[in-house]
Each structure stands twice: as C-alpha cells, then as structure tokens.
Amino acid sequence: MQVTYILMAVIGLITYFAWERPEWQKRLMLNPYTVVHEKKYYQLITSGFVHNNGIHLLLNLFTLYFFGLAIEQIFYSYFGELGLVLYILLFITAVIVANIPTTIKHKNNYNYNSLGASGGVSALVMAFILFDPIRDLCLYAIICLPGYILGGLFIVYSIIMSKRNTDNINHDAHLFGAIYGVIFTLLLRPSTFSYFIEAIF
C-alpha cells in the first residue's frame, strides 16, 4: 500500500473520531494560547489531523491524493525507500512549521483555534510545482494555469488574505506551509531549482 493512502486514512479516521467526541477535537486542534501558556506543543502536530467539517476534510484529502501520490513517487524515484520517509517528514514538519507563525501571532488569544492539514498539503503542492512547473494545474476544475503561475498567485493571495483577516481561514498556515515546501525540497535536492528555471524559460 502506498504511504499516501495510509496518511489519508489516518487523517480521515482521526477527524471522524474527533467529530464523534467534541472534547477530543478541542484537545487536538491548535489553540495558540494553550500551546504557549500551557505547553501543549503536541497541538502543533495533531491539529493537522482534524478538520472542521466534511467539505474541509474532502478538500484536503482530494489535494493530498493528487499531490501526495505524485511527491511520494518522485521522492521514491530519487531516494529509494528513504524517499518515503522523507515524504512523511515533509508533510509532518510542514504542519508544524505552518502552525508556528499562527501560534506566535495569537499566543494571547484564548478564543483562537485552528485545525486542518492545509499547511502540510500546501507544502506538497509547492514541492510538486518545483519538479513540474509548467504542467497545468486547475483550481476547482475551473481555472487552469501552469503550476508556477498558480503557485505564485496562491502565495500572493495568502499574503493578502492574511493581512485582511476577514474570514475564518488560517491563511498564514497556507502561506508558511507553501514556503516551507519550497525550502525543504531545495535543501533536499538543490538541482531542482536549476530545472525549475530552465523549464519555465
């Protein structure tokens, strides 16, 4: 069984478990105040495995299915069995890193909560774009653009929406997850940057 399917199953099962037990969802989601003041650091990871509702879960699993499988195969082709470990490491550490800016930003706001795998998923999407920048990617099967353009627009959009702070979406997690995905991939395989530039031009 491919690792991505296992990861999807784990996320789905933990999310369902938390839906059935609201007290556990509250425990597992990210609450920056309790992370900082009560040292519940585990929430930096566990929040990536619970979701607010079915649409939230399906969107993340849908994206994870396509980009997770692709990155899993790419990493395996370059690094063999170690690639599977690196793939999981990318996802898990991306969830953590994506949550850190939010934790710092809202550390004194007891009422702020965040949950979802978006930080880890964003990292996988941006990693894929580095390896295949000119392939068309479609947003909700409506707008299709080359990956490097869509990725750039996604980052700009996340920055703007983070500053506006007018909805209940954690755009900081999307932004920093995406940036981390780029950094992780380039540190792992620096030659990817040269290929990325050559593919575009």
Side-chain angles (χ1 to χ4, degrees):
M1 183 181 292
Q2 290 176 302
V3 174
T4 300
Y5 293 134
I6 298 174
L7 183 58
M8 291 173 65
V10 170
I11 292 172
L13 288 171
I14 293 177
T15 294
Y16 181 75
F17 174 85
W19 285 344
E20 294 295 304
R21 300 163 181 79
E23 71 279 6
W24 272 95
Q25 176 153 312
K26 185 176 180 181
R27 244 182 246 184
L28 298 175
M29 70 172 61
L30 177 71
N31 180 278
Y33 183 91
T34 59
V35 170
V36 173
H37 298 282
E38 299 178 19
K39 297 180 171 49
K40 294 184 178 180
Y41 303 124
Y42 64 85
Q43 292 180 357
L44 293 170
I45 299 176
T46 58
S47 59
F49 290 82
V50 288
H51 293 77
N52 189 45
N53 53 49
I55 294 177
H56 187 205
L57 174 64
L58 287 175
L59 283 175
N60 274 332
L61 290 184
F62 180 80
T63 309
L64 177 59
Y65 173 76
F66 286 102
F67 293 95
L69 283 176
I71 290 299
E72 179 182 345
Q73 292 168 2
I74 290 170
F75 277 19
Y76 184 80
S77 67
Y78 284 128
F79 307 106
E81 295 294 333
L82 177 61
L84 302 179
V85 176
L86 293 172
Y87 165 60
I88 292 298
L89 184 64
L90 168 58
F91 180 83
I92 297 296
T93 55
V95 169
I96 297 171
V97 170
N99 279 329
I100 290 175
T102 298
T103 300
I104 295 172
K105 186 176 181 179
H106 297 281
K107 64 181 179 180
N108 293 318
N109 184 357
Y110 183 78
N111 295 314
Y112 184 90
N113 297 293
S114 178
L115 69 171
S118 299
V121 170
S122 295
L124 297 177
V125 172
M126 294 304 291
F128 176 81
I129 290 173
L130 282 177
F131 286 108
D132 197 355
I134 60 174
R135 175 177 294 190
D136 278 355
L137 301 181
C138 297
L139 184 63
Y140 304 123
I142 300 173
I143 303 173
C144 296
L145 294 168
Y148 73 96
I149 295 178
L150 196 62
L153 290 175
F154 176 74
I155 289 177
V156 171
Y157 173 78
S158 296
I159 292 172
I160 293 172
M161 294 305 292
S162 175
K163 289 181 178 179
R164 288 183 179 176
N165 194 30
T166 55
D167 55 26
N168 292 320
I169 298 173
N170 187 353
H171 295 284
D172 285 332
H174 294 174
L175 172 62
F176 288 96
I179 293 173
Y180 178 77
V182 172
I183 293 172
F184 185 99
T185 303
L186 292 180
L187 288 175
L188 201 61
R189 190 173 173 81
S191 61
T192 306
F193 181 73
S194 298
Y195 172 77
F196 176 81
I197 297 300
E198 289 174 6
I200 292 175
F201 295 102

